[in-house]
Amino acid sequence: MSIIMDAPHTTDDARTLRAELVERAAKLRPLLAGNADSTDRERGVPAENITALAEAGLLSLMRPARYGGGQTDFRTLLEVSREVGRACGSTAWVTALLNAGAWFVGLFPAQAQDDVWADTPDARIAGVVTPSGTARVVDGGYRVSGRWAPASGCAHADWAVLGVVRPDAEGTSDAVGIVLVPMPELSIVDTWFVAGMRGTASNTLIGEDLFVPAHRFHSIPDAVEGRYATPFTDEALYRAPFVPATALVLTGPQLGLAAAAVDLLAERAPQRALTMTSYATQAEAPTIQIAAANAASLADSAQLHAYRAAADIDEAARAGVVADYDARARMRMDAGVAAVHAREAVRIVCSAQGASSFGESNPLQRVWRDIETGSRHAVLNPEVAAEIYGKSLFGIRGTVSALV
């Protein structure tokens, strides 16, 4: 099913490019699906997947065009990661997060962007925005130490965006921030032992007393309020609202997993009997037909919410306006609702397919494990999003989280 909802001022050229990129992702699905079981079993996205995605231009969607990137928009990232997610949840997650890492770098000062891309235009960036490290002020910059997890995509990254607090800046606007650190200066510890999204290898990064020059620090409160450090203010992509964009990028893989589950039901139900009934096939049984309708509708609802948020984000970026608190609260709510609806679609398909859904040889069990895990990311927490959104509807702001 096609869902068109899009930012109103999206150009025909942008839609054409988006369609081309999604088509490239679709062509990779046989490869990615063929590697999905080993990706899960071996707890890592294989280099073959990463190379194919990079060669198709799908890991540079959010890199500035100045460095040869696509500099597309959030709707495009959603659609591409959804398409990848139909084949492999872990690969989709890494695709979304490496692109998000590039977007974060695009918010930094020009010198920081040059540090990352001037000599290595295809450099990739992983990251953990949660402020799990400290940044102590020294001459020319900071001394940074900490442990950051889960660092999705770190196995395939050249740089990392890391959340820090500045103990000496407590109470000031830049007490919390993100810093840019080259991956060779960090250690990776294998800590990602989980039920789902196993292939993301979202391990722990450790840094000890690393020097980070001042231009590689960006204040989070400034970012939340749309005060970005990039001097390239004509680049619309890097004017997008910080928290909604950070949340939304996580929903693309969920949309893909929900679509994959619906696809599996449509493919298998006509070929299997409904055990202990008189129906020759599951597809003939009203109970399965209703399950299919409900699952497909929930997958569509997830898309609609995610696409609405993407449209709001992309339009605010294009217009160069800072989305107000209430609008940002709704965008974060949309991202949380999308994740919940996508997860529910997969649950319905699993119930319709019965106990066999969870057989180790059945790809549906991997879809189920992946979406149950991925949709629980903290920034997608639907209860927190609902609390923020509900309060905003009554004019109550800023009492739940600074990340709105």
Side-chain angles (χ1 to χ4, degrees), residues 61-80:
L61 303 174
M62 295 283 157
R63 188 195 312 157
R66 290 176 283 107
Y67 300 104
Q71 196 176 312
T72 58
D73 56 27
F74 283 90
R75 171 64 180 267
T76 300
L77 177 55
L78 266 188
E79 290 204 37
V80 167

mmCIF file of all heavy atoms in Angstrom, residues 61-80:
data_model
loop_
_atom_site.group_PDB
_atom_site.id
_atom_site.type_symbol
_atom_site.label_atom_id
_atom_site.label_comp_id
_atom_site.label_asym_id
_atom_site.label_seq_id
_atom_site.Cartn_x
_atom_site.Cartn_y
_atom_site.Cartn_z
ATOM 1 N N LEU A 61 22.897 9.326 3.392
ATOM 2 C CA LEU A 61 21.675 10.108 3.163
ATOM 3 C C LEU A 61 21.695 11.431 3.916
ATOM 4 O O LEU A 61 21.124 12.424 3.465
ATOM 5 C CB LEU A 61 20.444 9.302 3.605
ATOM 6 C CG LEU A 61 20.238 7.934 2.960
ATOM 7 C CD1 LEU A 61 19.072 7.219 3.613
ATOM 8 C CD2 LEU A 61 20.003 8.084 1.467
ATOM 9 N N MET A 62 22.356 11.440 5.076
ATOM 10 C CA MET A 62 22.323 12.617 5.947
ATOM 11 C C MET A 62 23.659 13.373 5.951
ATOM 12 O O MET A 62 23.816 14.300 6.729
ATOM 13 C CB MET A 62 21.965 12.181 7.376
ATOM 14 C CG MET A 62 20.566 11.616 7.513
ATOM 15 S SD MET A 62 19.345 12.946 7.527
ATOM 16 C CE MET A 62 17.868 12.147 6.997
ATOM 17 N N ARG A 63 24.599 12.945 5.115
ATOM 18 C CA ARG A 63 25.877 13.656 5.025
ATOM 19 C C ARG A 63 25.676 14.902 4.155
ATOM 20 O O ARG A 63 24.974 14.843 3.137
ATOM 21 C CB ARG A 63 26.940 12.761 4.411
ATOM 22 C CG ARG A 63 28.356 13.361 4.449
ATOM 23 C CD ARG A 63 29.304 12.630 3.514
ATOM 24 N NE ARG A 63 29.238 11.204 3.649
ATOM 25 C CZ ARG A 63 29.612 10.361 2.687
ATOM 26 N NH1 ARG A 63 30.058 10.808 1.534
ATOM 27 N NH2 ARG A 63 29.516 9.058 2.877
ATOM 28 N N PRO A 64 26.304 16.025 4.528
ATOM 29 C CA PRO A 64 26.150 17.232 3.704
ATOM 30 C C PRO A 64 26.617 17.002 2.274
ATOM 31 O O PRO A 64 27.601 16.293 2.028
ATOM 32 C CB PRO A 64 27.046 18.254 4.419
ATOM 33 C CG PRO A 64 27.120 17.787 5.829
ATOM 34 C CD PRO A 64 27.098 16.287 5.751
ATOM 35 N N ALA A 65 25.937 17.641 1.343
ATOM 36 C CA ALA A 65 26.314 17.537 -0.073
ATOM 37 C C ALA A 65 27.710 18.088 -0.299
ATOM 38 O O ALA A 65 28.405 17.676 -1.237
ATOM 39 C CB ALA A 65 25.290 18.284 -0.927
ATOM 40 N N ARG A 66 28.153 19.017 0.560
ATOM 41 C CA ARG A 66 29.509 19.570 0.429
ATOM 42 C C ARG A 66 30.581 18.495 0.486
ATOM 43 O O ARG A 66 31.697 18.665 0.008
ATOM 44 C CB ARG A 66 29.760 20.592 1.556
ATOM 45 C CG ARG A 66 28.985 21.871 1.445
ATOM 46 C CD ARG A 66 29.230 22.786 2.650
ATOM 47 N NE ARG A 66 28.491 22.356 3.827
ATOM 48 C CZ ARG A 66 29.046 21.786 4.887
ATOM 49 N NH1 ARG A 66 30.342 21.574 4.910
ATOM 50 N NH2 ARG A 66 28.316 21.419 5.919
ATOM 51 N N TYR A 67 30.252 17.387 1.149
ATOM 52 C CA TYR A 67 31.205 16.270 1.270
ATOM 53 C C TYR A 67 30.754 15.067 0.437
ATOM 54 O O TYR A 67 31.166 13.937 0.697
ATOM 55 C CB TYR A 67 31.343 15.866 2.738
ATOM 56 C CG TYR A 67 31.836 16.977 3.634
ATOM 57 C CD1 TYR A 67 30.944 17.650 4.479
ATOM 58 C CD2 TYR A 67 33.176 17.366 3.649
ATOM 59 C CE1 TYR A 67 31.383 18.674 5.308
ATOM 60 C CE2 TYR A 67 33.622 18.388 4.473
ATOM 61 C CZ TYR A 67 32.722 19.040 5.307
ATOM 62 O OH TYR A 67 33.163 20.056 6.134
ATOM 63 N N GLY A 68 29.897 15.307 -0.538
ATOM 64 C CA GLY A 68 29.470 14.225 -1.403
ATOM 65 C C GLY A 68 28.301 13.414 -0.883
ATOM 66 O O GLY A 68 27.983 12.363 -1.459
ATOM 67 N N GLY A 69 27.651 13.872 0.169
ATOM 68 C CA GLY A 69 26.508 13.139 0.719
ATOM 69 C C GLY A 69 25.209 13.456 0.007
ATOM 70 O O GLY A 69 25.142 14.348 -0.851
ATOM 71 N N GLY A 70 24.178 12.727 0.406
ATOM 72 C CA GLY A 70 22.873 12.919 -0.210
ATOM 73 C C GLY A 70 22.127 14.132 0.312
ATOM 74 O O GLY A 70 21.336 14.737 -0.404
ATOM 75 N N GLN A 71 22.384 14.486 1.599
ATOM 76 C CA GLN A 71 21.707 15.634 2.236
ATOM 77 C C GLN A 71 20.217 15.609 1.898
ATOM 78 O O GLN A 71 19.677 16.594 1.393
ATOM 79 C CB GLN A 71 22.358 16.947 1.812
ATOM 80 C CG GLN A 71 21.987 18.143 2.702
ATOM 81 C CD GLN A 71 22.752 19.397 2.287
ATOM 82 O OE1 GLN A 71 23.956 19.382 2.096
ATOM 83 N NE2 GLN A 71 22.030 20.501 2.140
ATOM 84 N N THR A 72 19.582 14.483 2.183
ATOM 85 C CA THR A 72 18.180 14.318 1.804
ATOM 86 C C THR A 72 17.264 14.887 2.887
ATOM 87 O O THR A 72 17.452 16.020 3.308
ATOM 88 C CB THR A 72 17.878 12.828 1.545
ATOM 89 O OG1 THR A 72 18.180 12.061 2.720
ATOM 90 C CG2 THR A 72 18.696 12.308 0.373
ATOM 91 N N ASP A 73 16.295 14.126 3.339
ATOM 92 C CA ASP A 73 15.398 14.600 4.391
ATOM 93 C C ASP A 73 14.985 13.405 5.257
ATOM 94 O O ASP A 73 15.347 12.257 4.978
ATOM 95 C CB ASP A 73 14.177 15.333 3.820
ATOM 96 C CG ASP A 73 13.400 14.478 2.826
ATOM 97 O OD1 ASP A 73 13.451 13.241 2.928
ATOM 98 O OD2 ASP A 73 12.730 15.044 1.948
ATOM 99 N N PHE A 74 14.218 13.677 6.313
ATOM 100 C CA PHE A 74 13.885 12.602 7.252
ATOM 101 C C PHE A 74 12.859 11.628 6.681
ATOM 102 O O PHE A 74 12.849 10.456 7.040
ATOM 103 C CB PHE A 74 13.453 13.196 8.599
ATOM 104 C CG PHE A 74 14.631 13.659 9.397
ATOM 105 C CD1 PHE A 74 15.109 14.960 9.264
ATOM 106 C CD2 PHE A 74 15.319 12.788 10.219
ATOM 107 C CE1 PHE A 74 16.238 15.376 9.953
ATOM 108 C CE2 PHE A 74 16.441 13.188 10.921
ATOM 109 C CZ PHE A 74 16.908 14.494 10.791
ATOM 110 N N ARG A 75 12.010 12.091 5.802
ATOM 111 C CA ARG A 75 11.086 11.161 5.152
ATOM 112 C C ARG A 75 11.857 10.138 4.319
ATOM 113 O O ARG A 75 11.522 8.951 4.313
ATOM 114 C CB ARG A 75 10.105 11.947 4.280
ATOM 115 C CG ARG A 75 9.227 11.094 3.375
ATOM 116 C CD ARG A 75 8.262 10.176 4.131
ATOM 117 N NE ARG A 75 7.476 9.416 3.187
ATOM 118 C CZ ARG A 75 6.279 9.781 2.720
ATOM 119 N NH1 ARG A 75 5.710 10.882 3.173
ATOM 120 N NH2 ARG A 75 5.633 9.044 1.838
ATOM 121 N N THR A 76 12.901 10.600 3.641
ATOM 122 C CA THR A 76 13.704 9.682 2.836
ATOM 123 C C THR A 76 14.399 8.654 3.722
ATOM 124 O O THR A 76 14.404 7.452 3.407
ATOM 125 C CB THR A 76 14.739 10.474 2.015
ATOM 126 O OG1 THR A 76 14.048 11.390 1.164
ATOM 127 C CG2 THR A 76 15.596 9.543 1.171
ATOM 128 N N LEU A 77 14.968 9.112 4.830
ATOM 129 C CA LEU A 77 15.625 8.165 5.740
ATOM 130 C C LEU A 77 14.627 7.149 6.273
ATOM 131 O O LEU A 77 14.922 5.950 6.380
ATOM 132 C CB LEU A 77 16.291 8.922 6.899
ATOM 133 C CG LEU A 77 16.956 8.039 7.959
ATOM 134 C CD1 LEU A 77 17.983 7.085 7.339
ATOM 135 C CD2 LEU A 77 17.622 8.896 9.028
ATOM 136 N N LEU A 78 13.417 7.617 6.595
ATOM 137 C CA LEU A 78 12.380 6.689 7.075
ATOM 138 C C LEU A 78 12.079 5.623 6.027
ATOM 139 O O LEU A 78 12.011 4.425 6.330
ATOM 140 C CB LEU A 78 11.083 7.459 7.359
ATOM 141 C CG LEU A 78 10.788 7.951 8.753
ATOM 142 C CD1 LEU A 78 9.372 8.498 8.803
ATOM 143 C CD2 LEU A 78 10.972 6.847 9.790
ATOM 144 N N GLU A 79 11.874 6.064 4.795
ATOM 145 C CA GLU A 79 11.470 5.114 3.753
ATOM 146 C C GLU A 79 12.590 4.123 3.433
ATOM 147 O O GLU A 79 12.341 2.932 3.221
ATOM 148 C CB GLU A 79 11.034 5.869 2.493
ATOM 149 C CG GLU A 79 9.725 6.624 2.665
ATOM 150 C CD GLU A 79 9.026 6.859 1.340
ATOM 151 O OE1 GLU A 79 9.079 5.976 0.464
ATOM 152 O OE2 GLU A 79 8.431 7.941 1.177
ATOM 153 N N VAL A 80 13.820 4.616 3.407
ATOM 154 C CA VAL A 80 14.939 3.714 3.113
ATOM 155 C C VAL A 80 15.111 2.696 4.245
ATOM 156 O O VAL A 80 15.258 1.494 3.993
ATOM 157 C CB VAL A 80 16.233 4.521 2.897
ATOM 158 C CG1 VAL A 80 17.448 3.601 2.912
ATOM 159 C CG2 VAL A 80 16.171 5.280 1.576
#
